Amino acid sequence: MTGPARGGAFQAERLIGRLLTGITYVSVGLLVIGVLLLMATGTSPTSGGPRFDPGRLLPDVLSLRPAGFLWLGLVAVIAAPVSRVTVALLSYVRARDWLMAGVSTAILVVIAIAVGSAVVTTA
Amino acid sequence: MIVGLWMMGGGAAAGVFGSLLGLGGGILIVPLLTLGFGLPLREAVGVSLVSVMMTSSAAAGVYLERHVANLRLGMTLELFTAIGALVGGSIAFLLDERLLSLLFSALLGYVAFTMIRARTRDSIQGVESPAIDAEPDDGPPPRPTLLDRLGGDGYQVRNLGRGVIGALGAGVASALLGIGGGIIKVPLMHLAMGVPLRVATATSNLMIGITAAASAVIYLVHGGIDPYVAGPTGIGVFVGATAGSRLGHRVDLRYLRLLFVVVLGYTAIQMLLRAVQ
């Protein structure tokens, strides 16, 4: 790898590293709020939480229900690696590294297939 | 409240080990939740998948900023772990779980045995580069191969084919058993592909997130993740994984390898017991 390309790769890695760290901190913050609310309401963690319902996220958060913050945090956790691949894809396209851009795209396609198959089999 | 604190403590312990060993901690979280808190295995697996993603993101973020993880190699291999996870999810309900446990136990035992026998070497020294320098000086510069581009400082990647097959297997195992697959990927990269152990551990941490993402989405949609359990456990894992990734570069590689073998042996016995009971 040449000097400028190496510098660009290092910069991308630093950016992706910070992105992962940032999303993780946000998700942990949301989970901490959710757990504190859980404890404040005296709810046992083993009592069984509600299923994921995207339509309930905002109302639950606005009503300061633990499930809203917990689900928001968990969705952020799952989104973190996908975001990392998306940022890597943009970095590779910018660097005209078509091989790695293709690999990044293929990873996102596989994840999309997983989401699609889960939704289809549940419906 | 006490239960939540115990979940956090258990998650923290799993996070430290997961980060140091590139395991993701799933192997420890599933028995913690099933044996310690009486959760059904399926729910424990769902929480474990989310937790290993937290381990991956927390540790990989630090490793990437320090340029320890090999992003190119990790992304190349995680394409195949993700495909393997899709395949594994499709056949998960067709195979006898006891047969899977037995096979997995044998695999873990084999890997532990191989790592014990592995020649002690300075990991950062890596593998000798091929004879690129032998090209004539007046000729065109040699075009870098894919393996050249996947290598890092002081080492070159070899046996990509084996790596791809192993990554597919790791993805299948992850989907079937609810683990991040690091327990397969670390020795695969280190022993078969010539990647230094520290880099293999960091790269595995990076890969675990995408490997688990495909399965976690399925669990999320099918109601297999309990937010009340995942919350405290995930927080504990985050704290443990952060501490582990900051300790990782200070830990002697010999101890890291020994620790890895011990965990492999322990998990092999647990899987064997699960198969015969």
Side-chain angles (χ1 to χ4, degrees):
Chain A
M1 206 182 290
T2 61
R6 188 185 182 84
F10 270 33
Q11 201 173 11
E13 285 183 15
R14 197 173 295 120
L15 174 69
I16 294 167
R18 285 178 182 168
L19 175 81
L20 279 175
T21 308
I23 295 179
T24 309
Y25 272 102
V26 169
S27 60
V28 168
L30 290 165
L31 291 178
V32 167
I33 295 171
V35 170
L36 288 175
L37 288 171
L38 203 63
M39 290 177 172
T41 54
T43 311
S44 170
T46 52
S47 62
R51 283 183 65 142
F52 178 66
D53 179 2
R56 297 259 352 133
L57 271 181
L58 191 60
D60 281 351
V61 168
L62 293 176
S63 306
L64 295 179
R65 289 194 191 98
F69 288 93
L70 291 171
W71 275 127
L72 209 54
L74 294 172
V75 169
V77 169
I78 296 173
V82 181
S83 306
R84 185 255 295 171
V85 175
T86 307
V87 172
L89 168 63
L90 296 175
S91 302
Y92 289 131
V93 169
R94 194 174 164 194
R96 298 177 182 275
D97 186 342
W98 303 120
L99 176 66
M100 291 310 297
V103 169
S104 308
T105 306
I107 292 170
L108 293 175
V109 168
V110 172
I111 295 295
I113 292 171
V115 174
S117 65
V119 171
V120 167
T121 53
T122 306
Chain B
M1 185 171 169
I2 297 296
V3 176
L5 292 176
W6 275 111
M7 281 182 181
M8 279 190 215
V16 169
F17 274 86
S19 177
L20 284 176
L21 303 174
L23 299 177
I27 283 166
L28 305 172
I29 293 166
V30 172
L32 170 79
L33 294 178
T34 51
L35 302 175
F37 297 98
L39 254 73
L41 184 66
R42 188 169 178 160
E43 280 185 26
V45 168
V47 172
S48 169
L49 284 169
V50 177
S51 298
V52 298
M53 293 176 76
M54 291 191 78
T55 311
S56 164
S57 296
V62 176
Y63 284 135
L64 274 174
E65 286 192 64
R66 289 181 181 164
H67 310 296
V68 181
N70 186 330
L71 183 63
R72 286 168 170 270
L73 176 63
M75 291 192 68
T76 303
L77 291 181
E78 76 187 358
L79 169 61
F80 297 96
T81 59
I83 293 170
L86 267 181
V87 174
S90 304
I91 62 171
F93 300 99
L94 301 176
L95 297 176
D96 186 349
E97 194 179 325
R98 292 170 67 185
L99 173 65
L100 288 171
S101 299
L102 191 64
L103 288 173
F104 200 63
S105 175
L107 173 69
L108 294 172
Y110 170 76
V111 174
F113 179 69
T114 310
M115 287 205 81
I116 291 170
R117 287 188 61 198
R119 185 163 51 94
T120 305
R121 64 180 183 187
D122 184 1
S123 295
I124 207 69
Q125 193 175 3
V127 178
E128 295 290 332
S129 298
I132 292 175
D133 294 340
E135 292 286 330
D137 292 338
D138 55 347
R143 194 185 171 100
T145 63
L146 176 60
L147 288 177
D148 291 334
R149 296 173 69 186
L150 293 179
D153 284 339
Y155 68 93
Q156 188 169 28
V157 172
R158 56 190 158 106
N159 296 328
L160 184 60
R162 264 196 238 176
V164 166
I165 293 168
L168 281 168
V172 172
S174 172
L176 292 176
L177 302 166
I179 59 172
I183 202 160
I184 298 171
K185 285 178 283 191
V186 172
L188 173 76
M189 282 188 274
H190 180 49
L191 298 176
M193 302 182 75
V195 178
L197 183 60
R198 199 185 301 283
V199 179
T201 304
T203 306
S204 170
N205 260 308
L206 184 78
M207 294 166 62
I208 285 168
I210 281 294
T211 309
S215 312
V217 163
I218 295 168
Y219 274 82
L220 181 82
V221 174
H222 286 280
I225 299 175
D226 187 335
Y228 290 177
V229 177
T233 309
I235 291 168
V237 170
F238 171 77
V239 172
T242 305
S245 63
R246 291 181 196 286
L247 286 171
H249 65 291
R250 296 177 194 164
V251 175
D252 192 315
L253 286 174
R254 287 170 299 177
Y255 294 121
L256 197 63
R257 186 181 281 118
L258 183 66
L259 204 58
F260 193 62
V261 169
V262 170
V263 173
L264 283 173
Y266 167 78
T267 314
I269 293 168
Q270 291 299 312
M271 295 300 286
L272 187 63
L273 288 173
R274 194 172 156 184
V276 298
Q277 279 174 354

